[in-house]
Amino acid sequence: MIAAETLADFHWQRPLALALIPLAWLLCLLAWQLLGRRQQWRHYIDPSLLPHLLQGKGPSGNSSGWWLLLALALSLASLGLAGPSWEKIPVPVSKQDDALVIVLDLSPSMNANDIKPSRIDRARFKLIDLLKQRSEGQTGLVAYAGEAHVVSPLTDDTDTLVNLLPAMSPGLMPLSGSNVEMAIELALQLIRDSGRNYGNILLLSDGVVDEAFAVIENLLDDSQVRLSVMSVGSEAGGPIPIGPGGQGFVKDNSGGIIVAKTNRTALANLAAENGGVFATLGNSDRDIRSLQSFWQRRLQMSNDNTQEVEREFDQWIDRGYWLVLALVLLFPLSFRRGWLLSASPLLLGSLLAGQLYAPPTQAQAGAAQTVEPSLWQDLWQTRDQQAMEAFEEQNFDQASELFNNPEWRASADYERGDYQSAIDGFSGKDSAS
């Protein structure tokens, strides 16, 4: 029963990786065939001349065992990458218990267009960017002008807040003015009503009157709630349009056009006095990153910054790591000098460059015969090492065939009586018979 359930649950977490298996075998097959053709030149070219005519060195091209091992290793790696899985475990869901209440200024001065298209438009765009980047914690929204109103309580659904923002404009408010104190009090109450004594308030505004500073500080005193401020508008300021069409501008009692300026210094002091950070609304996301960095640091320093949700989800266990053990068994082969580092470039080079060509169809009489050692010898020794053993056993013909070092090959030629080849080898010349 257990085996049947396991088989029924078996699946691949990344099945597309299985497509690499036939590709690996195809590449190894093509490389083996092309390198085999390369080695056939030994039947037609003198061994002492061959290394200077053929490009590159590598493992034995006509030894299929090497390419079978390479294809097997690539196949095992692909299987592991595909993520075989047949068992899942319950994982408790935990989330950051962070609370952020956004306080948006909708006073008439937010219609000023000293920053294009207007202060309120730029504030809405910036809040949409901030909410889209906010992946954890709960967020609420309070809007204010002459009085403050809760637009949304604390919620995980930031998409709903994003949908509400386009409707936020100064014309929506029933009473004009700038009652920021009432808005901060509402924001603080939202955090407390959620059962928290810890949180953050973000105020987006183009200005706060001096009389409001002391009231805000008293509201936040002795609490773990910090007030950060993002200034909207320029210090040079701009006139305040009247009505939706902007046919005129707000004027003072003497008939002069009122220019609404943003006092960034005062807003920065407001944030500093209430434990928050100050940012200026800009074109990049640097202002958002500054705020998020501050909130994240606060969250990490808090002892009660995460909570475990009363639900779990099942996570499939990726068993692909077991195939690493099989690859470890093949790993010692890579220590054989010259094999791993030469096989990979030779494989790609032979397929992409097409520099290896098939030999002539007519065999040439009197060509030197190639001595091919066993696969077991190739696993643990280089050709020079195998040739040295043959030399010590006085098998000079085999040593001459196996040596890659020209001086060692010349020594073997001397011992087997081929003095002309020995002279050419010692003098660095090439000879062909």
Side-chain angles (χ1 to χ4, degrees):
M1 180 64 67
I2 296 178
E5 292 178 355
T6 301
L7 184 61
D9 292 335
F10 181 85
H11 68 283
W12 302 97
Q13 296 192 27
R14 295 170 292 275
L16 291 179
L18 298 175
L20 298 175
I21 297 178
L23 180 61
W25 285 88
L26 177 62
L27 291 177
C28 290
L29 176 62
L30 293 177
W32 170 58
Q33 291 179 343
L34 291 175
L35 291 173
R37 295 172 186 172
R38 177 184 184 274
Q39 296 296 325
Q40 292 179 26
W41 281 108
R42 293 188 177 185
H43 297 286
Y44 315 105
I45 301 176
D46 187 270
S48 60
L49 187 61
L50 184 64
H52 303 280
L53 297 180
L54 295 182
Q55 297 182 5
K57 296 181 180 180
S60 177
N62 57 357
S63 178
S64 60
W66 284 114
W67 299 108
L68 288 174
L69 288 174
L70 180 59
L72 176 61
L74 293 175
S75 299
L76 290 175
S78 300
L79 289 174
L81 184 63
S85 181
W86 58 86
E87 183 182 1
K88 54 186 177 181
I89 57 175
V91 178
V93 179
S94 62
K95 65 178 181 179
Q96 299 289 346
D97 191 23
D98 183 25
L100 170 66
V101 178
I102 299 171
V103 176
L104 179 60
D105 186 353
L106 293 182
S107 58
S109 61
M110 289 291 286
N111 281 324
N113 56 7
D114 52 336
I115 57 174
K116 302 299 180 182
S118 68
R119 294 180 181 180
I120 185 59
D121 288 330
R122 291 289 298 276
R124 287 195 296 245
F125 296 153
K126 184 62 65 173
L127 285 179
I128 290 174
D129 291 340
L130 185 150
L131 291 171
K132 288 183 176 180
Q133 297 182 31
R134 185 168 170 80
S135 59
E136 290 188 323
Q138 293 187 317
T139 310
L141 178 61
V142 173
Y144 75 95
E147 58 185 12
H149 300 274
V150 175
V151 179
S152 171
L154 288 169
T155 177
D156 296 320
D157 188 6
T158 55
D159 290 337
T160 298
L161 296 178
V162 170
N163 293 330
L164 291 173
L165 282 173
M168 297 292 102
S169 66
L172 183 67
M173 305 305 291
L175 183 64
S176 63
S178 183
N179 195 344
V180 65
E181 307 97 304
M182 183 178 179
I184 298 299
E185 186 176 6
L186 274 180
L188 186 60
Q189 189 62 42
L190 285 179
I191 295 175
R192 289 172 177 170
D193 288 346
S194 68
R196 300 176 176 88
N197 58 3
Y198 170 95
N200 292 282
I201 298 175
L202 173 62
L203 171 64
L204 278 85
S205 175
D206 58 0
V208 176
V209 296
D210 295 338
E211 293 78 7
F213 276 58
V215 178
I216 294 174
E217 188 173 353
N218 288 333
L219 288 172
L220 298 178
D221 193 24
D222 297 330
S223 75
Q224 294 297 317
V225 178
R226 299 292 179 261
L227 174 64
S228 297
V229 180
M230 178 179 289
S231 68
V232 184
S234 65
E235 294 182 327
I240 304 172
I242 298 178
Q247 300 300 322
F249 300 99
V250 176
K251 300 180 180 179
D252 56 21
N253 294 331
S254 61
I257 296 178
I258 297 176
V259 177
K261 300 181 179 181
T262 299
N263 190 339
R264 294 176 180 174
T265 302
L267 292 175
N269 291 335
L270 178 64
E273 291 174 1
N274 293 280
V277 294
F278 171 77
T280 300
L281 189 148
N283 295 324
S284 67
D285 63 346
R286 182 178 179 181
D287 43 14
I288 296 178
R289 293 200 308 268
S290 175
L291 292 168
Q292 289 178 331
S293 177
F294 170 73
W295 295 331
Q296 187 63 34
R297 288 197 304 269
R298 287 204 67 212
L299 200 59
Q300 292 172 353
M301 291 187 296
S302 173
N303 294 326
D304 186 23
N305 55 15
T306 59
Q307 64 176 354
E308 189 170 300
V309 182
E310 294 181 357
R311 64 178 183 269
E312 295 180 342
F313 71 94
D314 293 330
Q315 181 178 10
W316 289 99
I317 304 175
D318 190 340
R319 300 294 188 182
Y321 64 88
W322 286 107
L323 293 173
V324 175
L325 297 178
L327 290 174
V328 169
L329 297 177
L330 299 176
F331 183 71
L333 303 180
S334 65
F335 288 97
R336 183 180 181 276
R337 183 169 61 88
W339 185 79
L340 184 61
L341 294 178
S342 61
S344 299
L346 194 56
L347 173 63
L348 296 176
S350 61
L351 294 178
L352 299 178
Q355 296 179 348
L356 305 178
Y357 301 95
T361 56
Q362 298 295 329
Q364 187 174 6
Q369 298 298 318
T370 301
V371 178
E372 293 296 338
S374 66
L375 175 60
W376 179 256
Q377 289 175 300
D378 275 342
L379 289 176
W380 310 108
Q381 291 180 317
T382 65
R383 288 300 180 87
D384 283 335
Q385 291 172 334
Q386 297 171 32
M388 184 58 68
E389 288 188 356
F391 188 91
E392 293 175 353
E393 295 173 359
Q394 298 186 357
N395 189 350
F396 303 119
D397 290 335
Q398 184 179 7
S400 177
E401 290 291 329
L402 293 176
F403 269 129
N404 288 324
N405 188 297
E407 294 183 357
W408 292 349
R409 187 187 306 116
S411 299
D413 289 335
Y414 177 82
E415 295 294 339
R416 68 191 181 105
D418 188 353
Y419 301 117
Q420 184 59 47
S421 296
I423 292 174
D424 292 340
F426 285 124
S427 61
K429 298 180 180 179
D430 295 332
S431 64
S433 56

